[in-house]
Amino acid sequence: MKTQPLSADLQRQHLEVTRRYFLGMGAAGLAAVQGHSLWAGDAEILADATEDLEYLTYAKEFGTVERGKPLPYTLPLEKRLEIGLERKTWKLEVIGDAKSNSVLSNPLTRAKGNALDFAALMKLAEKHAVRFLKIMSCNNMSKPLGMGLWEGVPLREVLWLTKPTANIRRVFYYGHHNDDPKQRFQSSLPVGRILEDPPGDNPVMLCYKLNGQWLSGRRGGPVRMLVPDAYGFKSVKWLKTVVITNNHQANDTYAGGNNDIDSWMKSMARFVYKPLKEKAGVPIPVTGLAQVGVGGVSKAQVWIQPKNKPWPKDDPYFTKAPWQDATILPPPEKWGGDLPDGKLPADVRFFTEAGRPKEWPLRYTIAHWATLLKDVAPGEYNVYCRTIDLKGNAQPLPRPFGKSGRNAIQKSPITVG
Ligand SMILES: Nc1nc2c(c(=O)[nH]1)N[C@H]1C(S)=C(S)[C@@H](COP(=O)(O)O)O[C@H]1N2
Ligand SMILES: [Mo]
């Protein structure tokens, strides 16, 4: 497996929203902005502040988790055309599991010549296309990979084309894998999740656009699966095959490696700007992101603790620490991320006709947060951040186990003096 760290490009949207926040705070905020190198562009601080991601992530800044030798999108164009990894030649097979007794009277196969091609997908898109925001996050990584506006056709529209009638409990799917079974990356879902969306959720979809652009080969194009509520491993790239089965068991590649393959995304906070060194007597700006999991996010919080005062071992999640609330910032005015004109298109799920989100923050996206640490005496400290969900659970609760999604509380050192 290869992972690529996020680039250290500037956090344009993040800096913009946080700067507005600090300016709006009056005297203390002004002191923080003016007296502070963050806004002056100090290279070291910016490099540190820019490790994470901005609102919609630019293509070149998106984090990647991929397998394959060679990686399919690195093959020459001629080869990509031959294997169907270009829109012109892409075809999706939707078939019954030969080892199972699912009944479908119209499987979509290459052999029969009725596999779904890109033109047919676009025909479905005319009527059924959906667009929604989603953070791509790997359950095994501490920070998200990238924030996207994804567009696609609900998978159920294509499942129904196969005229399924009985003995269907699960759907398996996998991408191009150089015809090498060992390279196959597969995942699965209960059929119910595909046919019906839980209230307030988005459909599982065949995704062909990200941030207003055709889905690139690196991001899994021409078509990838996109599972809104799940960690990244359910969103299989270079999708070519969907298998309908009566098997009730999951076959996900990620079941190996001790991963919990049934986990909804969790809420968690990450620092974006975390100062390493500060003068005493100056308000210290701290900013970050909250990933909004199934439980939502009601608060982001920070806590600063002297290094020489270790926290009691019987409170491993720091639940009794004196956390202070940060401010969750409003939705951005500019969405960024390669969108034509930086503008969201019409008909984004959970947005009004005027292009504003109906609630904020939205589930399975991110929100920015910011705060000032004030009156910190000279000394060595650690700063921590966490989220509180809509039920009042403090991160990493109610699901602290890492293999269902990493959500340990992040800690960052700071010297004040
Ligand atoms: N075909 C294929 N799809 C894949 C993977 C892969 O290795 N091969 N990795 C998965 C994992 S583990 C994650 S976290 C996401 C990451 O998506 P991204 O690379 O677009 O950020 O892709 C998923 N889809
Ligand atoms: Mo992953």
Side-chain angles (χ1 to χ4, degrees), residues 95-142:
I95 52 181
D97 180 359
K99 296 189 207 104
S100 178
N101 60 352
S102 296
V103 186
L104 17 151
S105 61
N106 185 40
L108 312 182
T109 72
R110 283 169 179 266
K112 271 201 315 173
N114 69 340
L116 186 83
D117 63 17
F118 201 80
L121 183 65
M122 288 303 98
K123 194 77 201 145
L124 288 170
E126 281 172 20
K127 207 163 154 200
H128 302 288
V130 282
R131 304 181 184 94
F132 55 81
L133 295 173
K134 174 194 163 57
I135 181 78
M136 185 60 68
S137 204
C138 178
N139 68 312
N140 282 319
M141 293 169 78
S142 51

Side-chain angles (χ1 to χ4, degrees), residues 1 3 65-67 136-141 145 185 231-234 254 259:
M1 181 178 87
T3 65
V65 182
E66 61 190 9
R67 300 153 185 79
M136 185 60 68
S137 204
C138 178
N139 68 312
N140 282 319
M141 293 169 78
L145 293 158
F185 188 85
Y231 283 100
F233 64 87
K234 292 275 184 199
Y254 252 39
N259 297 297

Side-chain angles (χ1 to χ4, degrees), residues 256-310:
N258 197 30
N259 297 297
D260 172 1
I261 48 101
D262 287 325
S263 181
W264 295 300
M265 198 182 282
K266 300 177 185 179
S267 298
M268 65 168 178
R270 301 283 305 166
F271 291 111
V272 171
Y273 179 67
K274 42 185 178 25
L276 292 175
K277 224 170 168 214
E278 284 299 330
K279 289 198 250 5
V282 178
I284 304 168
V286 179
T287 77
L289 299 175
Q291 172 175 295
V292 185
V294 65
V297 166
S298 64
K299 285 177 179 178
Q301 296 183 319
V302 297
W303 161 47
I304 180 162
Q305 170 75 354
K307 275 192 184 164
N308 62 11
K309 274 204 212 157

Side-chain angles (χ1 to χ4, degrees), residues 142-163:
S142 51
K143 63 186 171 193
L145 293 158
M147 182 65 222
L149 172 73
W150 309 84
E151 178 177 323
V153 168
L155 176 59
R156 55 179 161 265
E157 302 302 335
V158 175
L159 276 199
W160 285 121
L161 296 180
T162 68
K163 301 199 189 317

